Amino acid sequence: MATKGKDALPPPPDPQTLSESTAALLRELVAHLRQNRTQLREEWARRITRAQLLTAMTEEEIFAEATSVYDNYVEALETGTFEALQAYARNLSERIIPRGVETHEVVGIVLLLRDVLARSLFGKYHEDFDKLNRILDAYEPAANRIANTVAVGFVQERERIIRQQQEAIRELSTPVLQVRERLLILPIIGVIDPQRARQLTEQLLRAIRTNRAKVVVIDITGVAAMDSNVANHLVQTVEASRLLGATVIVTGLSPEIAQTLVTIGVDLSEMATVGDLQGGIEEAERLLGYKVVPEEDLAPKA
Amino acid sequence: MEVPILKQGHYLIASIQSALTDADLSQLREALIERVGRFRARGVIVDVTALDVMDSFAVRTLRDIAHMARLRGAETVIVGIQPEVAFAMVQLGLTLKGVSTALDLEEGLAFLDRQAQLRSERGSGRIDRG
């Protein structure tokens, strides 16, 4: 083939005539695709199954989706506008992403459609090579743009979902809770990255101010691993809390974390630590002057 | 701008109202230390609620005030550091080590009262500081 890719149109002698003839060719192409809709669609669905793409979906579902993708595809070719296709791609991605459809599958099926349609053009115009060439010149840039649109739509939707989930995790994972007057606990669960560490600190400092907390227990039982950055951030959090007049007790350091911290030599002398959350709360209550006594211990006196 | 220093019982309260120049800070330090002696103050409270920036000179001056006042017999407590300021301070390594801090004026007064109580509980015969 003489031309390939999006920008491979030969330099036009007169842009007006060329764009007109391109439009005419595209019209012819669309008519051809409409005419052979059933057959091409089936061929496409067959090839998707054969290539073992979209394995998460049943054959009927693939055929149904293939039909609407096909129609949208033809429409985009006809009108030259991609908004409808874009919206459809987004909508489709929204439906198939939760089912575990991968990016390579989506790109794969769109490229397959492109191939199926190109093949049918070969079949139709194989006697008139010159015409075939011109039809492909008109078809290829549009088809590439469509493939691009669908793939980008899918990836964008995926990224949007990931962002949304990250935000959800972030919001869920930093609760500052008041367990007694002037006593807060901050249970940290999961991985602490620098951004999250920063957010944790800011949230804690704000909570200290609004709740007028005197003691804070930070429980890191749910933290699997800690590096020197996170450890230093923890120390900073303790110091910043102290500047607001609150004492911080860190609880739930796992043996692994204790070992890591000692090995990398983080200076934790400024930090009060207690084995578990219960011990931490008891220590905090002692600092605050609370004394929790079981009722039966009080009974004989009364 | 001069920082007003109020006397409240045995305590001196310096309430910083706006951003201070280095000269203002030095002047505050001189004035406070001089008054600790004049009024025989037991405690000093520096309220920094109004400050939204705290540079290294300010932090050093506050620390100097605390240490100098201690040498002259008064306990110092810094109150009202804003959360953002606290965060910025620790990131710059300005942690006010060895200086007491409290959430606000009320907490600062409560802290000084507690210190005074501890001192009196320790009995009259001994002279030391906690």
Side-chain angles (χ1 to χ4, degrees), chain A residues 141-214:
Chain A
N144 285 343
R145 218 180 131 193
I146 291 172
N148 221 329
T149 306
V150 174
V152 168
F154 182 82
V155 172
Q156 277 175 344
E157 178 64 20
R158 231 176 126 106
E159 282 171 358
R160 193 185 64 78
I161 289 178
I162 293 173
R163 265 198 307 277
Q164 208 176 16
Q165 286 173 343
Q166 273 178 339
E167 252 162 58
I169 291 172
R170 223 165 264 148
E171 275 172 29
L172 276 177
S173 60
T174 53
V176 183
L177 311 165
Q178 175 160 337
V179 284
R180 291 223 191 296
E181 194 86 348
R182 331 211 65 185
L183 167 56
L184 297 178
I185 57 173
L186 172 67
I188 305 179
I189 291 168
V191 181
I192 312 179
D193 54 25
Q195 196 200 351
R196 200 177 154 212
R198 195 192 163 84
Q199 197 195 0
L200 275 172
T201 311
E202 281 174 6
Q203 227 166 316
L204 177 65
L205 295 181
R206 236 172 286 136
I208 288 174
R209 191 151 188 84
T210 47
N211 295 299
R212 303 178 57 80
K214 284 225 69 99

Side-chain angles (χ1 to χ4, degrees), chain B residues 9-106:
Chain B
H10 289 300
Y11 307 140
L12 296 176
I13 301 171
S15 174
I16 298 175
Q17 303 296 336
S18 63
L20 296 180
T21 63
D22 290 0
D24 292 336
L25 281 161
S26 305
Q27 198 249 331
L28 170 67
R29 184 186 58 206
E30 314 305 317
L32 265 175
I33 301 309
E34 186 264 326
R35 263 169 244 207
V36 166
R38 183 167 11 128
F39 296 121
R40 310 189 66 233
R42 297 269 188 73
V44 174
I45 296 179
V46 183
D47 186 354
V48 296
T49 311
L51 292 186
D52 45 19
V53 187
M54 193 96 87
D55 62 12
S56 59
F57 187 82
V59 172
R60 202 171 67 229
T61 308
L62 289 177
R63 201 193 53 206
D64 289 354
I65 288 174
H67 291 167
M68 288 162 80
R70 185 171 294 159
L71 292 175
R72 311 248 299 155
E75 190 69 24
T76 301
V77 53
I78 311 296
V79 305
I81 298 176
Q82 300 290 337
E84 299 76 33
V85 177
F87 193 55
M89 281 169 67
V90 292
Q91 285 200 316
L92 296 171
L94 310 169
T95 54
L96 276 176
K97 246 184 202 133
V99 180
S100 303
T101 48
L103 190 68
D104 53 19
L105 187 58
E106 191 183 342

Side-chain angles (χ1 to χ4, degrees), chain A residues 1-6 8 10 114-115 117-119 121-122 128-141 143-144:
Chain A
M1 259 197 339
T3 57
K4 259 188 185 164
K6 300 181 202 185
R114 183 174 171 274
D115 295 347
L117 299 188
R119 281 288 169 89
L121 294 177
F122 278 119
D128 185 350
F129 186 73
D130 192 44
K131 180 85 183 264
L132 174 63
N133 224 345
R134 276 182 290 129
I135 278 264
L136 284 177
D137 278 348
Y139 168 70
E140 278 167 356
N144 285 343

